[in-house]
Amino acid sequence: MLTLIRWQLKQLFWINLIALIYFILMTLYKQEAILFARSQWLMLGVFLHCCGVALIAGRSSPRGSGFLYSQGFSRDQLWWANFLASLMSGVFVCLLIYVVIATGFRAAVQSLHGNPWAPVMGSIELSAIKWIALEYLLLFALFHYVWVRARQPARDSAAGWMIAIAMTSFVGVGYERLNGANATRSIMIASFALGLALLFVIANWKFHRSVEVQA
Amino acid sequence: MPTNSPSIVRTENIGRIFGANPVLQDVTFQLQPGTVTALLGPNGAGKTTLLKLLCGLIAPTTGMSWVFDTPSWPANNKACARVGCLLDGFEPPAAMKIQHLMQLSRAAGPTFNQQRADQLLKSHNLKPSQRWSTLSKGQKRWTLLIMLLCRECDLLLLDEPADGLDPQTRIELYRLIREEANNRELTALIATHIITDIERVSDEVAVLHRNSIILQADLEDLREQVHVISCSSVPEKEDLPEGVEVLHQSESGDCTLWLRDQKGLLAEAKVPFEESRRKGTLEEIFLTLTDRNGTDRNGEIDQTNQQVDLAIQPAK
């Protein structure tokens, strides 16, 4: 399994590198406090990163991940490796943001730029990371669902896309509701997002068993 | 050598349609353990599709197939690790190094033989640090074959494995497959157009034509059964022993009959107007069965193709 995950991470190297550079710059130089629901550029970054990762990981062309399907691995082994490699891409970003904030790098850079809020930023911003992680989980589940559906024997890729677009809009609205939300509403939104993500992960896993790999 | 064990691969009326185009129809056959089977067929006959179906890469539209007694679709069982596939176009990303590919193969099956892999790589001057993109076509093919051979799979499904290999490597490949089949009952299904190579190692031959298997037979038996008989005049069909199948009848110049005798009736009997007889080669049998010689499967002459001869004559 580790070999497979390593293989997938190698495929994702460039998209992850670009994402890490984007997020490190965003975290260091963003002047306003990082409150996830109010940081549209951060949300967009997560969205694009998820899109790119799912596109690369879901390439079942014979030259991409498709080659792995001819190498004696079961569908479940491949699915786990693929999904875990995708999640790890998200984890790298969350860890990076955490390190940059928690170690005080962000506060230091902001102080240099004369931001008066710099000393107190870290303590309130760390809570945004859990929302970023949740967005990653949800979007990975959605986007993987799209390519898995698109490669079914009876092609219905449109259905996968429509469901993903509908759900992404729904989640976007949900995240907007996080603005000024109290603890109960935040927990409700988080639980709903988590439930939805799990549902898509299970659907992915099941549908992946009947993905077709064509030359 | 073939045994009485249950079949390793079994298909029942398996078929696949792409769009409105049926690429494979009602294919029923099986492979016994330890047999090397040549899968022959003209371009577009459905060989690659059949291999993909058996590898579990695509779903059958009709019928079913089993590999090691488990359905090959969906491909999600322990049998996957026992199957090695080599399919045209399935290649690793260009940046991958040979060592990464060997690691991948080791991860796929617990039986990977690292020592043998090192030896086979070394004997062909391949270095583990070489990237895929720097390899020649033949080296790429050989690297993929090493991955499969060193995984010590129980079933190999190979699509044109010798494509791009030099003659020595081709001979080595088929020798290794033959040894594995003899020593540990490796079963192999090899789709190829190079009949002279494959007939040296095969136990069986399966001919795929117009999307269906039209023949599966023991190669030695088939060679014994097919007679090429030259006659001074065309004999009547009724004069031939009953049960003898006319595969082809050439009427350009002298009459030549291609007969398949599964019951040994022609061993003693003579065909009317017979002048000489010989056994057919596998290549000739293949060409006869796949209509490349001017007849269709009913033995009737195809007027449009009548002049095509089986033998290629050098230019004078």
Side-chain angles (χ1 to χ4, degrees), chain A residues 172-185:
Chain A
V173 172
Y175 267 55
E176 268 298 305
R177 296 273 166 186
L178 279 172
N179 282 326
N182 58 21
T184 316
R185 198 202 276 177

Side-chain angles (χ1 to χ4, degrees), chain A residues 3-171:
Chain A
T3 312
L4 275 177
I5 294 174
R6 258 204 323 261
W7 177 284
Q8 291 290 14
L9 283 173
K10 269 183 198 145
Q11 309 302 303
L12 299 172
F13 176 78
W14 287 108
I15 184 91
N16 284 341
L17 186 69
I18 293 167
L20 289 174
I21 292 170
Y22 173 83
F23 283 108
I24 205 165
L25 292 176
M26 278 287 295
T27 316
L28 284 175
Y29 295 102
K30 189 175 169 3
Q31 289 208 323
E32 304 85 53
I34 298 175
L35 299 169
F36 185 63
R38 286 198 183 133
S39 306
Q40 278 85 2
W41 285 106
L42 210 63
M43 283 178 79
L44 184 69
V46 174
F47 180 86
L48 292 177
H49 187 204
C50 288
C51 238
V53 166
L55 269 176
I56 293 167
R59 263 191 325 199
S60 62
S61 64
R63 262 199 168 275
S65 308
F67 173 70
L68 294 176
Y69 288 78
S70 68
Q71 293 303 305
F73 297 100
S74 72
R75 290 300 171 98
D76 282 357
Q77 279 177 301
L78 291 169
W79 183 83
W80 278 109
N82 201 337
F83 197 70
L84 287 177
S86 302
L87 280 187
M88 281 167 80
S89 304
V91 169
F92 293 151
V93 168
C94 293
L95 272 178
L96 178 90
I97 297 174
Y98 179 83
V99 168
V100 170
I101 296 174
T103 54
F105 268 112
R106 172 167 159 74
V109 171
Q110 289 301 314
S111 287
L112 280 176
H113 285 84
N115 188 338
W117 296 101
V120 292
M121 275 175 145
S123 57
I124 51 167
E125 286 179 332
L126 280 177
S127 67
I129 294 171
K130 62 175 182 289
W131 293 105
I132 298 174
L134 190 59
E135 191 190 357
Y136 264 116
L137 176 66
L138 189 56
L139 291 183
F140 277 139
L142 280 171
F143 292 147
H144 276 270
Y145 180 77
V146 174
W147 75 256
V148 163
R149 280 294 289 268
R151 285 168 182 73
Q152 294 299 303
R155 297 278 154 83
D156 53 358
S157 54
W161 275 111
M162 279 189 286
I163 291 170
I165 290 167
M167 286 298 140
T168 312
S169 321
F170 195 57
V171 170

Side-chain angles (χ1 to χ4, degrees), chain B residues 14-258:
Chain B
I14 200 165
R16 173 69 197 211
I17 299 170
F18 289 108
N21 182 26
V23 178
L24 213 58
Q25 280 178 313
D26 286 334
V27 170
T28 300
F29 81 112
Q30 40 186 298
L31 300 179
Q32 298 304 322
T35 53
V36 177
T37 304
L39 179 63
L40 307 178
N43 293 331
K47 300 187 295 294
T48 304
T49 303
L50 177 61
L51 292 177
K52 279 185 187 169
L53 284 165
L54 296 177
C55 292
L57 294 174
I58 56 172
T61 313
T62 58
M64 277 279 276
S65 61
W66 293 263
V67 172
F68 298 111
D69 274 333
T70 53
S72 56
W73 180 266
N76 190 45
N77 50 57
K78 284 181 184 166
C80 294
R82 298 173 68 191
V83 183
C85 311
L86 179 79
L87 294 165
D88 210 23
F90 282 75
E91 286 186 13
M96 285 294 162
K97 289 180 180 172
I98 291 179
Q99 66 198 38
H100 298 141
L101 296 172
M102 296 303 147
Q103 280 166 8
L104 187 77
S105 237
R106 207 165 37 231
T111 50
F112 188 81
N113 188 335
Q114 184 63 53
Q115 202 182 348
R116 191 180 189 197
D118 294 340
Q119 191 190 332
L120 287 172
L121 286 172
K122 203 173 169 188
S123 67
H124 285 260
N125 294 325
L126 290 165
K127 294 184 189 77
S129 58
Q130 274 180 278
R131 285 193 192 279
W132 184 256
S133 56
T134 64
L135 302 178
S136 71
K137 185 182 176 186
Q139 286 177 320
K140 285 178 179 172
R141 209 63 171 170
W142 185 240
T143 306
L144 292 176
L145 286 162
I146 291 174
M147 289 170 74
L148 295 182
L149 290 168
C150 295
R151 236 174 73 204
E152 302 193 343
C153 318
D154 295 320
L155 171 66
L156 286 181
L157 301 168
L158 309 177
D159 190 8
E160 292 291 353
D163 187 21
L165 298 183
D166 59 56
Q168 288 95 331
T169 315
R170 256 170 32 207
I171 291 167
E172 186 178 357
L173 165 69
Y174 288 127
R175 181 182 57 77
L176 288 171
I177 291 174
R178 190 65 261 173
E179 278 175 12
E180 299 273 299
N182 293 346
N183 299 340
R184 56 171 196 89
E185 289 214 325
L186 165 78
T187 308
L189 179 63
I190 306 172
T192 182
H193 289 300
I194 310 174
I195 296 172
T196 44
D197 276 355
I198 195 71
E199 70 176 326
R200 288 191 214 125
V201 292
S202 297
D203 302 299
E204 284 196 357
V205 60
V207 178
L208 198 56
H209 184 47
R210 290 184 186 147
N211 318 122
S212 297
I213 295 263
I214 55 168
L215 171 94
Q216 188 184 8
D218 183 280
L219 189 54
E220 281 307 309
D221 289 350
L222 190 68
R223 283 200 192 106
E224 283 301 311
Q225 288 165 3
V226 176
H227 301 261
V228 186
I229 299 178
S230 297
C231 302
S232 54
S233 184
V234 184
E236 294 295 325
K237 251 188 176 175
E238 300 80 59
D239 295 336
L240 297 172
E242 213 169 299
V244 172
E245 186 187 356
V246 181
L247 296 177
H248 172 56
Q249 183 178 320
S250 156
E251 289 185 341
S252 53
D254 292 340
C255 167
T256 306
L257 288 172
W258 288 73

